[in-house]
Amino acid sequence: QVQLVESGGGLVQPGGSLRLSCTASGSIFRIADMGWYRQAPGKRRDLVATISSRGSTNYADSVKGRFTISRDNAKNTGYLQMDSLKPEDTAVYYCNVAQSLLGVDSWGRGTQVTVSS
């Protein structure tokens, strides 16, 4: 199983930027899909962005043009660059690594992002 550790969350002003990191254990990361999800208090967990093992990306409409997902397989690390942050981006952000053929679906413990003036 894959162990995931997120970092980079914190408090930022509206319009500011943060970069989240997700570091995975083991050697499966390079052949797995990676995604970021977020959950605000009292709300459902929503998909933010995904990047496949081949590098293709998808974004939720609410973050398109503001967030960028990327990965560095040599470092077993995925990233979420968040620019032009809005108060509605406030949530706990979770990293996910999945490889359906191998039955892998792992989650990190999350990192808090708060956007407030």
Side-chain angles (χ1 to χ4, degrees), residues 9 14 20-21 27-29 39 51 53 57 60-61 63 70 73 76 96 111-115:
L20 306 183
S21 298
S27 59
I28 197 177
F29 182 79
Q39 186 169 24
I51 182 167
S53 61
T57 59
D61 288 341
V63 307
S70 62
N73 289 338
N76 261 24
N96 171 255
T111 184
Q112 177 71 49
V113 172
T114 302
V115 184

Side-chain angles (χ1 to χ4, degrees), residues 30-53:
R30 63 168 52 194
I31 61 172
D33 300 328
M34 192 268 289
W36 290 95
Y37 295 72
R38 67 187 182 186
Q39 186 169 24
K43 297 186 177 181
R44 59 180 289 180
R45 185 176 297 186
D46 292 327
L47 187 148
V48 176
T50 61
I51 182 167
S52 74
S53 61

Side-chain angles (χ1 to χ4, degrees), residues 12-18 66 82-87 89 115-116:
V12 66
Q13 300 286 311
S17 297
L18 286 173
R66 300 189 297 121
M82 304 184 293
D83 299 319
S84 302
L85 282 161
K86 304 174 180 180
D89 295 318
V115 184
S116 176

Side-chain angles (χ1 to χ4, degrees), residues 60-82:
D61 288 341
S62 59
V63 307
K64 194 171 298 181
R66 300 189 297 121
F67 292 9
T68 303
I69 189 170
S70 62
R71 64 193 298 160
D72 186 341
N73 289 338
K75 296 182 178 180
N76 261 24
T77 300
Y79 304 95
L80 184 68
Q81 177 67 44
M82 304 184 293

